[in-house]
Amino acid sequence: MPLIPSLWESKANRSLEFSCLRPALGAGAGSCVTSGGSRDAARAGPPKLAVCIAVIAKENYPFYIRSTPTENELKFHYMVHTSLDVVDEKISAMAKALVDQRELYLDLLYPTEDYKVYGYVTNSKVKFVMVVDSSNTALRDNEIRSMFRKLHNSYTDVMCNPFYNPGDCIQSRAFDNMVTSMMIQVC
């Protein structure tokens, strides 16, 4: 039975939001959206590396989305979902151009005034999307590539867990901690 999405709750309850949406794609299909941190915690502290990180299934539903700050959460969800078209275009262009299929990093998907959206796709067509603040000029292409490799390794660890059901939401403390470390730069 599909659950009704409740992605954005009242502004009073912004400390941690979590919702699961199970589309009618089969028994194992589902998506998860999390965003953590209060407004004060999002504004204070060290500069951010990424403001939104998403793991998208082969069928284009989210396994995991985490964004900070929470007041722009809808904007980040929109950016992630619109980037899926660009990811599909880049994958088909790579196949036509006979580019090395082992190259998983898709580079910059598209820039906006405030953010840059980067993409990565696994061999099993699971997509990783990362939104970075465009004012962060210290972040280089090699660092973003490295962040995607770390994200891919953590995702692989989640998939190798014998208690994880493929297609379910990613609910792992280790994965959350790794994503949090990617979202906040340690000075």
Side-chain angles (χ1 to χ4, degrees):
M1 176 170 89
L3 296 175
I4 298 172
S6 61
L7 299 178
W8 301 276
E9 296 174 2
S10 68
K11 291 183 181 181
N13 187 13
R14 285 288 201 185
S15 62
L16 178 67
E17 296 174 1
F18 179 82
S19 74
C20 238
L21 168 65
R22 300 216 181 270
L25 296 174
S31 68
C32 248
V33 180
T34 63
S35 68
S38 66
R39 281 185 220 190
D40 298 331
R43 290 184 185 145
K48 293 170 182 49
L49 293 176
V51 292
C52 181
I53 295 176
V55 180
I56 310 295
K58 180 180 179 179
E59 296 84 13
N60 288 339
Y61 63 88
F63 280 139
Y64 181 91
I65 296 179
R66 179 144 184 206
S67 61
T68 182
T70 56
E71 58 262 6
N72 291 333
E73 185 176 3
L74 183 60
K75 182 180 193 178
F76 294 134
H77 286 262
Y78 177 74
M79 291 173 94
V80 166
H81 289 291
T82 56
S83 69
L84 295 178
D85 292 333
V86 181
V87 169
D88 290 339
E89 288 175 13
K90 286 201 174 210
I91 290 172
S92 65
M94 285 174 41
K96 289 179 184 176
L98 299 174
V99 178
D100 186 11
Q101 296 298 320
R102 292 175 294 166
E103 181 58 38
L104 304 174
Y105 178 60
L106 297 176
D107 202 24
L108 180 67
L109 299 178
Y110 67 91
T112 64
E113 287 183 26
D114 301 324
Y115 302 101
K116 294 180 182 175
V117 181
Y118 292 91
Y120 184 94
V121 65
T122 67
N123 291 333
S124 60
K125 304 298 182 223
V126 173
K127 301 152 195 86
F128 299 126
V129 177
M130 186 180 309
V131 180
V132 177
D133 192 358
S134 61
S135 66
N136 189 354
T137 57
L139 199 57
R140 303 282 183 237
D141 196 47
N142 287 341
E143 293 166 343
I144 292 187
R145 192 181 296 251
S146 173
M147 289 168 62
F148 274 123
R149 277 192 220 113
K150 288 178 186 176
L151 187 63
H152 190 181
N153 287 338
S154 292
Y155 173 76
T156 304
D157 290 343
V158 169
M159 294 298 119
C160 289
N161 183 347
F163 298 107
Y164 176 76
N165 293 324
D168 283 354
C169 303
I170 295 176
Q171 299 177 6
S172 167
R173 285 187 190 152
F175 191 81
D176 277 338
N177 291 340
M178 191 279 310
V179 168
T180 302
S181 71
M182 291 173 68
M183 294 181 107
I184 300 176
Q185 181 178 5
V186 178
C187 294

